Amino acid sequence: EPEVTQTPSHQVTQMGQEVILRCVPISNHLYFYWYRQILGQKVEFLVSFYNNEISEKSEIFDDQFSVERPDGSNFTLKIRSTKLEDSAMYFCASTRGNTEAFFGQGTRLTVV
Amino acid sequence: ILNVEQSPQSLHVQEGDSTNFTCSFPSSNFYALHWYRWETAKSPEALFVMTLNGDEKKKGRISATLNTKEGYSYLYIKGSQPEDSATYLCAFSQAGTALIFGKGTTLSVSS
């Protein structure tokens, strides 16, 4: 069964460092999303991506964040200068469009 | 700007209580409405995908209804159990557009 794959499963980084979270969506999917969940808090939408550009982003997704699909398979989320408050579980999702979204298992980002 | 609203934001019930949440979405050019269940530290899992006005779907103690003309969907949980504690997300799409997710309703069920 096709699945969305995220790597790494856990990333520890020092404050101020850049991190790249990677996602391999399902191959024939067209829409891609990043969400995050800070421990004990609600799920938060970050960004959606379609046709090689951002289609929607939240107020959380400021200039420190960027997304790209560098090679047609990976979908990456980059945080340029991490803050302590960026520590969270980050989930990637993909859909063909209007069908069920499939989510990865998440990357736990810990900023120290 | 298309917006999906979910209410309440959070809810705390006792084991055995029945409960329901609301998802509101634009009624024009409707294509599909999804419900997802998201437990802490796990991946969200799809509960229902509904496309027709008047659709009602059921999975165990959880059911959902859809009114596309007025732009809302209800998710019902009958006899809540502690394992139902999760965030319930709805997502809406128009024809040819990506899914737009709501912010979720967080349910906490205490025993």
Side-chain angles (χ1 to χ4, degrees):
Chain A
E1 186 175 316
E3 60 180 13
V4 176
T5 306
Q6 288 186 243
T7 56
S9 56
H10 190 189
Q11 172 92 45
V12 181
T13 189
Q14 289 202 330
M15 191 167 55
Q17 294 295 305
E18 175 183 284
V19 293
I20 297 176
L21 309 184
R22 291 183 168 78
C23 170
V24 179
I26 294 172
S27 61
N28 61 352
H29 283 190
L30 302 173
Y31 297 86
F32 314 108
Y33 305 83
W34 283 102
Y35 283 81
R36 76 176 186 187
Q37 184 177 38
I38 296 170
L39 188 63
Q41 296 186 24
K42 294 186 175 62
V43 167
E44 299 173 301
F45 167 72
L46 293 177
V47 66
S48 59
F49 191 86
Y50 169 71
N51 201 25
N52 287 320
E53 61 183 24
I54 291 172
S55 48
E56 189 180 3
K57 61 183 181 179
S58 72
E59 59 273 14
I60 301 167
F61 195 89
D62 61 21
D63 291 343
Q64 293 299 312
F65 291 87
S66 62
V67 289
E68 63 175 2
R69 199 150 183 251
D71 56 12
S73 60
N74 289 286
F75 177 50
T76 61
L77 174 69
K78 182 191 289 186
I79 309 175
R80 288 190 185 80
S81 178
T82 50
K83 307 185 189 77
L84 294 176
E85 54 264 37
D86 294 327
S87 296
M89 283 288 288
Y90 287 80
F91 290 93
C92 168
S94 70
T95 79
R96 288 184 63 183
N98 295 312
T99 55
E100 173 189 352
F102 289 81
F103 289 80
Q105 292 298 311
T107 293
R108 179 173 296 285
L109 176 66
T110 303
V111 183
V112 297
Chain B
I1 296 175
L2 299 175
N3 203 20
V4 176
E5 299 285 342
Q6 289 189 246
S7 62
Q9 283 190 325
S10 61
L11 189 58
H12 184 194
V13 301
Q14 295 294 313
E15 184 176 356
D17 288 349
S18 294
T19 187
N20 66 85
F21 331 128
T22 304
C23 174
S24 301
F25 52 86
S27 55
S28 59
N29 299 320
F30 174 85
Y31 187 82
L33 192 285
H34 301 209
W35 281 101
Y36 293 84
R37 172 196 160 84
W38 197 340
E39 290 180 75
T40 301
K42 293 187 179 179
S43 300
E45 62 166 322
L47 290 172
F48 306 113
V49 178
M50 296 184 287
T51 56
L52 297 176
N53 184 43
D55 258 355
E56 290 189 29
K57 298 224 173 176
K58 188 174 180 182
K59 184 185 283 191
R61 294 178 290 98
I62 303 177
S63 60
T65 61
L66 178 66
N67 183 323
T68 62
K69 294 187 188 308
E70 295 181 42
Y72 64 84
S73 174
Y74 294 137
L75 187 79
Y76 299 93
I77 302 179
K78 184 177 177 182
S80 303
Q81 300 296 309
E83 57 265 30
D84 295 329
S85 297
T87 294
Y88 292 84
L89 290 172
C90 77
F92 149 86
S93 66
Q94 295 179 324
T97 68
L99 285 172
I100 300 168
F101 285 84
K103 293 182 178 177
T105 292
T106 299
L107 173 67
S108 174
V109 183
S110 51
S111 54

